Amino acid sequence: MKKVFLGLSLMGMVFFVSCGGNKDTVEATEAQDAATASAESESYAVNTAVSSVAWKAGKIFQDTSKPEEGHYGAVKLKSGEVTVKGGVLEAGKFIVDQTSFESADLNDDPDTKAKLDGHLKSEDFLHVEKFPEATFEITAVNALTEGDYNTEISGNLDFRGTPKNITFKANVNQEGDKVTIKSEEFKINRQDFGIVYKGGGDSIIKDDVMLQVDVTADKNQ
């Protein structure tokens, strides 16, 4: 397998969400200029059939005798492209279909699933009617030589119309005509992106949402 070694000035991304853990929330800063591909680079189109963003989020209760609750699921990628030159990832952009957002943990309870998914897609959370897509565009890529991941990726996450630059680690590999990007689990703070709904009754929605991305891209012919 040939690793995609990432240059010092460019970067890539994608998503998965999972709650909990001891990881720090990633810092969301002002959006940066997008990375650009060189004339000699090769392009790879995201395979939307096998690429996804998984999510997991939770809530706590004012009544501390109640255990924490959470949900998890996935959201599909609508399209995307990465560019590689000489085994080095240079640039890329991914578009997420927010209308595909669903809570997979409730697949066996379709009525509850429909109610929760409807609320999560409402103005209280994703506001899918107004913001049917989210995007991530690479701004920088750094090679890592230690640890479980070979790449540090930075990019502009435009979520609910609020673009913020975030950084996370991933394994980026090239094998034949495919490039894969599989990120670590990383936390974002939903309030950084305009989701401020507190909860209902005695429940309190946690601010942290864990994201993890799994993307496969095929070489354009």
Side-chain angles (χ1 to χ4, degrees), residues 179-190:
V179 170
T180 60
I181 304 173
K182 296 187 178 183
S183 81
E184 64 177 342
E185 294 182 353
F186 60 96
K187 291 180 183 177
I188 63 169
N189 185 324
R190 64 187 178 90

Side-chain angles (χ1 to χ4, degrees), residues 20-39:
N22 297 318
K23 293 179 179 293
D24 292 333
T25 303
V26 299
E27 183 179 8
T29 60
E30 294 302 310
Q32 305 295 317
D33 291 338
T36 56
S38 61

Side-chain angles (χ1 to χ4, degrees), residues 53 55 74-78 95-103 113-114 117-118 120-122 126-134 159:
V53 178
W55 64 268
V75 60
K76 298 177 181 179
L77 269 67
K78 188 174 184 178
I95 299 176
V96 178
D97 180 6
Q98 295 289 73
T99 66
S100 70
F101 186 94
E102 64 171 348
S103 50
K113 175 185 173 75
D117 290 355
L120 292 176
K121 291 179 180 180
S122 75
L126 301 180
H127 203 350
V128 167
E129 184 176 356
K130 184 176 181 180
F131 305 105
E133 297 176 350
F159 186 50

Side-chain angles (χ1 to χ4, degrees), residues 73-99:
V75 60
K76 298 177 181 179
L77 269 67
K78 188 174 184 178
S79 62
E81 185 175 72
V82 297
T83 55
V84 174
K85 177 185 176 184
V88 178
L89 180 65
E90 289 193 317
K93 183 175 182 178
F94 308 90
I95 299 176
V96 178
D97 180 6
Q98 295 289 73
T99 66

Side-chain angles (χ1 to χ4, degrees), residues 89-197:
L89 180 65
E90 289 193 317
K93 183 175 182 178
F94 308 90
I95 299 176
V96 178
D97 180 6
Q98 295 289 73
T99 66
S100 70
F101 186 94
E102 64 171 348
S103 50
D105 61 298
L106 294 175
N107 284 344
D108 293 334
D109 186 353
D111 291 338
T112 302
K113 175 185 173 75
K115 183 177 180 180
L116 176 63
D117 290 355
H119 189 202
L120 292 176
K121 291 179 180 180
S122 75
E123 188 173 353
D124 286 341
F125 292 98
L126 301 180
H127 203 350
V128 167
E129 184 176 356
K130 184 176 181 180
F131 305 105
E133 297 176 350
T135 64
F136 182 90
E137 189 163 19
I138 295 169
T139 59
V141 174
N142 289 302
L144 299 175
T145 57
E146 297 180 352
D148 296 331
Y149 299 93
N150 63 19
T151 306
E152 182 182 71
I153 296 174
S154 296
N156 296 328
L157 173 60
D158 192 334
F159 186 50
R160 268 186 59 119
T162 303
K164 294 286 184 178
N165 196 265
I166 62 172
T167 298
F168 58 87
K169 297 176 183 178
N171 280 317
V172 181
N173 293 296
Q174 180 185 24
E175 185 175 11
D177 290 338
K178 293 184 183 295
V179 170
T180 60
I181 304 173
K182 296 187 178 183
S183 81
E184 64 177 342
E185 294 182 353
F186 60 96
K187 291 180 183 177
I188 63 169
N189 185 324
R190 64 187 178 90
Q191 295 207 37
D192 289 336
F193 299 91
I195 302 177
V196 298
Y197 180 77

